[in-house]
Amino acid sequence: MGAGATEAERTTVREQLSGACTTEIASFDEFASLLADDVGDFDHIVFDTAPTGHTLRLLSLPKAWSGFLAGNDRGASCLGPHSGLKMHEVRFKAALDALSDPGQTTLILVARADKSAIAEAARTSDELRTLGLNNQRLIINGVFHASDPGDEVACAIAALGRQALDGMPQSLLSLPQDQVPLRAFDTVGLSALRALLSSHATPLASGLVASAPMERLPGLDALADELAAAGHGLVMVMGKGGVGKTTVAAALALGLVQRGKTVHLSTTDPAAHLAATLEGEVPGMRVDRIDPKVETQRYIDRMMVRKSPGLDEQERALLLEDLRSPCTEEVAVFHAFSKIVNEARSAFVVLDTAPTGHSLLLMDAAGAYHRQTLRDFEGHDKARMSTPLMRMQDGTYTKIILVTLPEATPVSQSAALQDDLRRAGIEPYAWVINKSVPAAGTHDPLLTARLAGERKQMARMASGLAARTFIVPWCTRPPIGFVELSKLVNHRSGKE
């Protein structure tokens, strides 16, 4: 901004550029620079992208922004004058061309041998194709084969993996595919990564599993009891993709209903399968999702009704054009989220949030709205003011549940998410360790060897990461549907 601008003008511009949409554009600009510019001495560029919902949003930006810029010739957008964006239009197009060129770009979809993970990979594959990104490859990670036919747990794990692979949709079967076997070690560090690339399994080390019994942690039944004691409130279930947060959210919602509460279960995660997880209606529970496309259209319609009276046809056209900016989606989703947050004043709302990157954009929008509201209320009684961020910072109103797997990477990701939340003044209520093998009981040598890593991560959480920790054992039957989800919250979890 020019040197002659006042401090108030600078503050206004900083606030306008502090939103999640600006962050998204800046992230994509860096992403595009590697795709579109000279990459120098690199033979290959490998992107480890965010979970699918966030990645699809990122990959759709070239088309979204290029289309918006091409149709907007009056120099304004939700970010104000967009001359800066115009300067990057050529880079956006070059990035899209690079992504769509099979000679330059290969997209590798990674999934576990799990029904829901494969369904998410198939959905992602289809959406990538609609964006023109057709050069795809599939990797199935952590494929397990039981070595002892008499080990019920090991055989059940292997059978579920086979069923998931046998039921793979045609869209994925048509892709080149690789399978990576489950290893006895956490794939963290150079030596582990080199071993992962080997075609031979690393010999199992002796004495990996301590003889001392593992601490018996409470299950989801105890967590549901604690949540129900509040009478009402917002329960936000967060975690990286693939850790089982949708299952945990559905189970907790069901547990609250079974404890006599009225529950609204919703999701901001485009990859979530709440309806499939619950399989049917549950009396006392409303299930839906915040669909960005639906919410954006609702917001546009609402703004046109509110602002268009008195405008001539050209002014209405300009207003509609501005509302069709890609940034409008951020605002629309935040409005829908805010409405759900307010519902928790008189009932329970369980929100299955999108993977962490996307969730943090939502938190950022809440923070921006909060700061704007504080300025608007300057000179008024702020004791009567309540913003979504204030609701999330209130531990008596909002309970943040972090879901993780007992593995090094998911625990580190959850720890980083917790740090981000704490910087926003939000303290997580509890951690949930999902798919814990020790409680299931197995003597399979590979699974037994992996228990050492699980013990290490549980000790890491107990040493100060989590104020409260609850556990969900690995289930020999998938936790899908009323009956199986009920088992997680009916005072048996953690005791099987």
Side-chain angles (χ1 to χ4, degrees):
M1 199 170 174
T6 66
E7 184 57 35
E9 289 171 332
R10 291 193 184 94
T11 300
T12 299
V13 171
R14 277 195 295 267
E15 184 59 40
Q16 288 176 342
L17 295 176
S18 67
C21 194
T22 305
T23 303
E24 203 167 49
I25 295 167
S27 298
F28 177 75
D29 192 54
E30 183 67 20
F31 176 71
S33 69
L34 285 172
L35 289 172
D37 297 345
D38 181 11
V39 296
D41 297 329
F42 295 111
D43 295 319
H44 298 278
I45 298 175
V46 179
F47 284 108
D48 175 21
T49 66
T52 52
H54 202 63
T55 297
L56 287 169
R57 169 68 176 160
L58 184 70
L59 295 180
S60 68
L61 276 178
K63 281 191 174 180
W65 277 110
S66 295
F68 176 70
L69 294 174
N72 186 339
D73 59 1
R74 59 192 178 86
S77 74
C78 56
L79 291 177
H82 69 248
S83 57
L85 293 177
K86 278 285 191 182
M87 292 167 58
H88 295 299
E89 189 172 355
V90 174
R91 176 178 286 179
F92 281 15
K93 183 180 184 305
L96 182 59
D97 290 343
L99 286 170
S100 305
D101 181 359
Q104 294 188 62
T105 302
T106 301
L107 289 109
I108 300 177
L109 303 172
V110 182
R112 296 201 181 205
D114 173 83
K115 183 179 178 181
S116 62
I118 287 175
E120 180 179 342
R123 182 191 66 82
T124 303
S125 176
D126 292 341
E127 294 200 27
L128 289 170
R129 286 189 178 100
T130 64
L131 294 172
L133 312 181
N134 298 309
N135 189 26
Q136 303 175 23
R137 190 178 190 94
L138 176 67
I139 293 180
I140 304 296
N141 191 26
V143 178
F144 173 69
H145 301 285
S147 60
D148 182 355
D151 190 320
E152 180 182 356
V153 172
C155 289
I157 293 176
L160 286 175
R162 285 195 304 272
Q163 291 170 16
L165 295 177
D166 291 343
M168 187 180 295
Q170 186 59 42
S171 61
L172 291 184
L173 285 173
S174 64
L175 299 179
Q177 182 186 137
D178 300 288
Q179 293 190 3
V180 179
L182 183 70
R183 303 296 194 183
F185 50 86
D186 280 330
T187 52
V188 177
L190 287 177
S191 59
L193 290 174
R194 290 191 180 103
L196 185 67
L197 293 172
S198 170
S199 59
H200 304 289
T202 301
L204 302 180
S206 60
L208 282 175
V209 184
S211 58
M214 295 182 69
E215 178 187 359
R216 186 176 293 276
L217 295 172
L220 286 190
D221 56 326
L223 179 54
D225 286 342
E226 289 188 19
L227 296 175
H232 66 89
L234 173 66
V235 180
M236 292 184 67
V237 182
M238 305 181 72
K240 283 285 187 180
V243 298
K245 60 185 177 53
T246 298
T247 297
V248 171
L252 289 175
L254 185 58
L256 289 170
V257 168
Q258 292 174 340
R259 287 157 178 77
K261 309 301 179 182
T262 300
V263 179
H264 179 187
L265 172 61
S266 187
T267 182
T268 64
D269 187 353
H273 304 281
L274 284 175
T277 301
L278 281 168
E279 283 187 346
E281 295 185 5
V282 177
M285 185 191 305
R286 177 160 63 97
V287 181
D288 60 22
R289 67 182 292 258
I290 296 177
D291 186 320
K293 293 181 181 178
V294 172
E295 297 302 336
T296 300
Q297 189 57 53
R298 285 176 180 168
Y299 179 79
I300 290 174
D301 294 342
R302 198 161 56 243
M303 290 299 101
M304 289 299 294
V305 170
R306 182 183 304 175
K307 295 185 176 183
S308 62
L311 300 181
D312 60 30
E313 185 174 345
Q314 183 179 8
E315 289 170 332
R316 283 174 55 85
L318 289 174
L319 173 61
L320 181 59
E321 179 185 304
D322 210 31
L323 287 171
R324 284 176 175 162
S325 154
C327 289
T328 299
E329 182 180 303
E330 174 201 340
V331 178
V333 170
F334 174 69
H335 275 264
F337 169 72
S338 300
K339 183 179 178 181
I340 285 182
V341 169
N342 286 333
E343 287 182 23
R345 290 179 297 178
S346 57
F348 274 103
V349 174
V350 178
L351 190 62
D352 171 27
T353 66
T356 52
H358 215 73
S359 296
L360 290 172
L361 290 179
L362 196 63
M363 298 291 182
D364 186 57
Y369 176 83
H370 174 77
R371 292 188 295 272
Q372 181 63 51
T373 304
L374 287 176
R375 285 197 297 274
D376 292 344
F377 266 70
E378 195 67 42
H380 296 79
D381 181 11
K382 294 183 181 179
R384 300 174 58 186
M385 183 187 72
S386 179
T387 68
L389 181 62
M390 293 169 67
R391 296 285 196 194
M392 289 185 284
Q393 290 171 335
D394 181 357
T396 63
Y397 188 94
T398 300
K399 304 291 190 299
I400 303 287
I401 311 297
L402 300 184
V403 182
T404 189
L405 298 176
E407 301 170 9
T409 299
V411 171
S412 295
Q413 291 169 336
S414 293
L417 171 58
Q418 181 165 259
D419 290 341
D420 287 331
L421 291 170
R422 284 173 172 170
R423 279 192 287 272
I426 302 169
E427 183 64 29
Y429 179 79
W431 285 41
V432 170
I433 304 171
N434 193 26
K435 295 185 179 180
S436 173
V437 174
T442 178
H443 52 263
D444 180 271
L446 192 152
L447 295 180
T448 301
R450 287 184 62 84
L451 300 191
E454 185 163 332
R455 288 174 184 273
K456 181 178 179 180
Q457 296 310 316
M458 292 176 70
R460 181 181 170 194
M461 285 180 264
S463 66
L465 273 182
R468 296 175 181 82
T469 306
F470 300 84
I471 197 164
V472 179
W474 193 92
C475 302
T476 55
R477 295 177 62 89
I480 296 173
F482 181 89
V483 174
E484 296 303 323
L485 286 173
S486 294
K487 291 179 182 179
L488 300 180
V489 288
N490 70 356
H491 301 283
R492 292 177 58 209
S493 178
K495 302 176 179 63
E496 297 180 7

